[in-house]
Amino acid sequence: MSNTMIPWLCLLPVEILHHIFDCLDASTILFSLRCTCRRLKTIVDSYDRYVLDFRSISKSDFQLLCCLINPRKVKSLILFPKDETSDQLELFMTYFRIQEFTRLRSLTLIEIEERQLKVLLKRFCIPSLTSFSFKLGKYDDRRTNTTATLLSSIISQANLHHLNLELRSTRLEKMIWPAQCLIKYLKIGSCDEFSQIFIILRCSPHLQTFVIKFSSYVDDTIISLDSFRTSFQQLTSLTLENLRANVNNLELLLSLMTSLTYLKLIGLGHFLNGNRWEQFIQTNLPCLKKFELFVQEWKDVDYTSVDIEAIIELFRTSFWIEHKKWFFTCETIELWPRVIKLYSIPLCISTLTYEPESNKISSSTFYSIINNDMSIMDNIDTIDFKFSKFTLDDIQQQAHPNIITDLSSLLQQACSLTSLDICCNYDSRRSKLTAQDIYSMTPSHVKHLAASIKNLNEVKICLTKLQHLLTARFFYRSSSFSNVVVEWLEQEKAGSSYFVGAVFTKVWLVQSNNQFKLVRIGNKRIKLTVDH
């Protein structure tokens, strides 16, 4: 923060400063602003609307925040004990008694084990919550009914308006929805029947935004449309992810939602007909202001450039280009010539699987306009590189440097990117990437890295060069350097949580520039270290 800004901040009224704090993370408020001057320290101490978001944080900052924060001044809490930060919840419980979060209005639990759920929810004051988000990380089938009962109780709370449930359909289908549910925003994962959607909509007269992620198999049968004569006019925003449905049944579903202003579809099926979409939207979705699409279709023979042009031509009408200003790209690649992709610009997915662009057949309506403010990568926060799909000769020989350079340039442009996955879904023994390849292509705005490397010893090189990482996971063929790496982590990354195994290493890092901080508590200046 520029020093010239501090005097102006000090002159602002407390109410305005508190509104500014609402847009800042807790680390910035407590580690930076609070230590600037006495007035800002006093104003920060009176602030009581903290958002504790532990999804992307170094271990050192996590510990410091837990030392400094007053739980009675926290309005929103996000816990994320994922694999690399698996001890986060345990550490959190050593710093706080959950009952102290008396002003909590929003609670998010991500990758929580099912065996922990009941204990956690009993400690939080659930009736005061206006927002609850939950994603199970490790299931326990013995607790299926218990989980369904707990969640049924939560959705019946009078103050709850925002609900996000990402769990298996076996839990979802056992939940009992209240007849007059007050939820306005709902996101569910692993839905496997259109009938579940109808049940929820009939019970949710106030629901405005509905996000649905389907399971691998979807029963899209609409048993009796006559029983749903009343359309669901309350719904204005709908997102369908992992959709695999018959286009006729999809249109029947959407025809009951004529008040939609936003529609996003991500899936696999026969959804490429631009003329059909144009007629359907004009007839059934007159209020639609934004339409986002990312769909794939398979066929028994290879797609050609003629096929690509025929599909995209139907999206070049005045309806798409001039009236709605919605733009699309259609493409296929040599590696998967029987798969075709059609997607809106910018990409509406958050995770991009990057394929080699050699011999790609592509056509777009995006190039028919000039719009410097529109970027295809705006919504991408995770990129998954499939290097093993390149030929081994390209990776190992002459084309390799060019590939790395091109990918580095692409990643630098993806400013929203926070997570990078390189080769980890493939056989890591085939990785021909060096530590230099990995750190040279990883931009500073990436905070979470997963990568396959040649051997365990290269973990040290990557972590030394990539000081900005918060978490890291490395896959390798040989663990012959495990003792050396453990000793190095203890010395160079003291305080970090780590696991060094036979085929992978995971680390939750203490950042090297953050081994200690000077903070004020009362009238004293105290140095907090990672061992505090």
Side-chain angles (χ1 to χ4, degrees):
M1 181 177 293
S2 172
N3 291 331
T4 59
M5 293 295 295
I6 299 303
W8 293 101
L9 282 175
C10 292
L11 295 175
L12 293 175
V14 174
E15 294 80 6
I16 293 180
L17 283 170
H18 279 186
H19 281 297
I20 293 175
F21 293 172
D22 290 341
C23 301
L24 301 176
D25 59 78
S27 299
T28 300
I29 298 171
L30 291 171
F31 298 164
S32 300
L33 288 174
R34 191 175 183 272
C35 302
T36 303
C37 65
R38 290 183 178 179
R39 183 169 187 266
L40 278 178
K41 174 185 176 298
T42 302
I43 294 172
V44 168
D45 288 344
S46 66
Y47 181 66
D48 61 359
R49 299 194 294 269
Y50 283 101
V51 175
L52 286 187
D53 186 348
F54 294 137
R55 285 175 296 187
S56 185
I57 189 170
S58 68
K59 187 177 180 181
S60 48
D61 276 359
F62 174 84
Q63 292 173 304
L64 290 172
L65 274 178
C66 290
C67 288
L68 292 175
I69 201 75
N70 182 344
R72 294 177 177 83
K73 295 184 178 181
V74 175
K75 73 168 187 178
S76 176
L77 174 63
I78 303 174
L79 289 171
F80 188 18
K82 65 174 183 176
D83 205 15
E84 289 83 357
T85 60
S86 56
D87 57 340
Q88 185 185 98
L89 182 58
E90 181 180 350
L91 281 172
F92 180 82
M93 301 290 280
T94 64
Y95 283 101
F96 300 110
R97 293 177 63 250
I98 292 180
Q99 293 86 343
E100 295 176 329
F101 289 86
T102 55
R103 292 176 58 86
L104 196 66
R105 296 297 177 267
S106 176
L107 175 62
T108 299
L109 304 173
I110 307 174
E111 300 293 340
I112 298 295
E113 295 184 16
E114 192 163 14
R115 64 178 180 83
Q116 300 170 319
L117 182 63
K118 185 176 181 180
V119 176
L120 281 173
L121 294 184
K122 279 188 174 181
R123 296 183 181 182
F124 285 107
C125 185
I126 299 299
S128 65
L129 295 179
T130 60
S131 175
F132 177 67
S133 298
F134 166 65
K135 180 179 180 180
L136 274 181
K138 186 177 181 180
Y139 288 83
D140 184 346
D141 289 337
R142 296 172 299 177
R143 293 177 166 84
T144 299
N145 292 331
T146 301
T147 298
T149 301
L150 282 170
L151 297 178
S152 298
S153 174
I154 289 174
I155 63 178
S156 64
Q157 299 299 319
N159 292 320
L160 192 68
H161 300 304
H162 186 290
L163 180 63
N164 181 354
L165 298 176
E166 295 190 50
L167 67 167
R168 291 175 182 169
S169 58
T170 52
R171 274 66 172 171
L172 184 66
E173 64 190 16
K174 289 181 177 294
M175 291 173 55
I176 300 175
W177 292 83
Q180 291 292 316
C181 186
L182 300 176
I183 292 171
K184 296 179 180 179
Y185 174 99
L186 176 61
K187 180 177 180 179
I188 59 174
S190 296
C191 177
D192 55 14
E193 293 182 0
F194 270 21
S195 60
Q196 290 179 329
I197 298 174
F198 288 121
I199 292 172
I200 293 172
L201 287 173
R202 283 189 299 172
C203 295
S204 307
H206 303 280
L207 187 62
Q208 299 171 359
T209 300
F210 200 1
V211 180
I212 306 163
K213 184 175 183 178
F214 292 98
S215 55
S216 56
Y217 170 76
V218 181
D219 182 357
D220 60 1
T221 304
I222 299 177
I223 299 174
S224 175
L225 195 59
D226 292 338
S227 61
F228 302 106
R229 291 175 182 174
T230 303
S231 61
F232 304 112
Q233 297 293 327
Q234 76 272 28
L235 203 63
T236 58
S237 175
L238 178 67
T239 298
L240 303 178
E241 299 181 9
N242 200 28
L243 177 66
R244 302 188 182 197
N246 178 279
V247 65
N248 295 318
N249 288 340
L250 175 62
E251 288 181 346
L252 284 175
L253 175 68
L254 295 177
S255 66
L256 301 176
M257 306 170 182
T258 56
S259 297
L260 287 179
T261 60
Y262 174 81
L263 175 62
K264 180 197 289 189
L265 301 176
I266 300 174
L268 177 68
H270 302 294
F271 308 126
L272 307 181
N273 191 327
N275 183 56
R276 182 169 180 168
W277 276 118
E278 179 178 335
Q279 293 180 11
F280 179 81
I281 291 172
Q282 288 178 322
T283 303
N284 298 281
L285 303 176
C287 302
L288 197 65
K289 297 179 180 179
K290 190 171 185 179
F291 178 45
E292 294 188 312
L293 194 69
F294 189 96
V295 294
Q296 300 181 76
E297 184 175 317
W298 297 66
K299 70 174 186 177
D300 294 334
V301 296
D302 294 356
Y303 283 98
T304 67
S305 58
V306 174
D307 297 320
I308 300 295
E309 285 299 327
I311 292 170
I312 203 66
E313 187 64 29
L314 298 179
F315 290 92
R316 288 198 172 107
T317 65
S318 59
F319 171 81
W320 300 106
I321 302 294
E322 298 172 11
H323 178 51
K324 291 297 188 179
K325 293 182 172 58
W326 296 336
F327 307 101
F328 299 87
T329 294
C330 185
E331 67 182 31
T332 187
I333 61 174
E334 184 182 46
L335 287 172
W336 304 105
R338 298 186 178 185
V339 181
I340 197 167
K341 293 180 183 178
L342 175 69
Y343 53 85
S344 53
I345 304 296
L347 285 163
C348 61
I349 53 176
S350 60
T351 299
L352 174 64
T353 299
Y354 186 83
E355 311 282 6
E357 295 193 5
S358 58
N359 299 318
K360 174 188 288 187
I361 303 174
S362 178
S363 185
S364 178
T365 63
F366 179 60
Y367 301 117
S368 63
I369 53 105
I370 299 175
N371 189 341
N372 294 326
D373 296 327
M374 186 179 292
S375 171
I376 190 174
M377 302 289 284
D378 281 351
N379 299 316
I380 303 298
D381 59 27
T382 301
I383 294 183
D384 183 2
F385 285 116
K386 303 301 187 187
F387 274 101
S388 61
K389 290 185 180 179
F390 293 103
T391 65
L392 295 181
D393 288 340
D394 283 345
I395 291 293
Q396 194 172 16
Q397 299 175 6
Q398 295 180 356
H400 178 213
N402 295 330
I403 292 172
I404 299 300
T405 301
D406 291 344
L407 293 179
S408 298
S409 176
L410 172 68
L411 293 173
Q412 290 292 344
Q413 298 175 46
C415 298
S416 300
L417 183 68
T418 59
S419 300
L420 182 59
D421 186 334
I422 305 174
C423 299
C424 294
N425 292 330
Y426 288 85
D427 186 355
S428 61
R429 292 174 295 180
R430 298 184 64 195
S431 175
K432 294 184 178 294
L433 294 176
T434 65
Q436 182 178 352
D437 292 331
I438 293 171
Y439 70 71
S440 65
M441 77 169 71
T442 305
S444 59
H445 49 265
V446 167
K447 303 302 180 185
H448 310 280
L449 174 68
S452 295
I453 55 178
K454 285 188 173 181
N455 59 64
L456 181 54
N457 196 43
E458 294 199 332
V459 169
K460 298 190 300 180
I461 303 174
C462 289
L463 293 182
T464 299
K465 292 290 186 179
L466 301 173
Q467 296 288 337
H468 51 85
L469 291 180
L470 303 179
T471 66
R473 175 181 284 257
F474 299 97
F475 295 82
Y476 37 79
R477 182 178 182 180
S478 171
S479 60
S480 57
F481 295 97
S482 59
N483 292 336
V484 176
V485 171
V486 168
E487 183 178 349
W488 182 84
L489 286 170
E490 290 289 346
Q491 293 178 356
E492 302 297 327
K493 300 295 179 181
S496 299
S497 297
Y498 64 86
F499 170 81
V500 178
V503 294
F504 73 91
T505 287
K506 60 180 181 179
V507 189
W508 184 18
L509 291 154
V510 168
Q511 292 182 314
S512 58
N513 64 346
N514 200 18
Q515 295 292 333
F516 65 87
K517 282 188 172 74
L518 287 173
V519 295
R520 289 184 179 272
I521 298 180
N523 295 319
K524 300 179 181 179
R525 287 176 65 85
I526 298 177
K527 180 163 71 175
L528 295 179
T529 69
V530 295
D531 296 325
H532 184 81

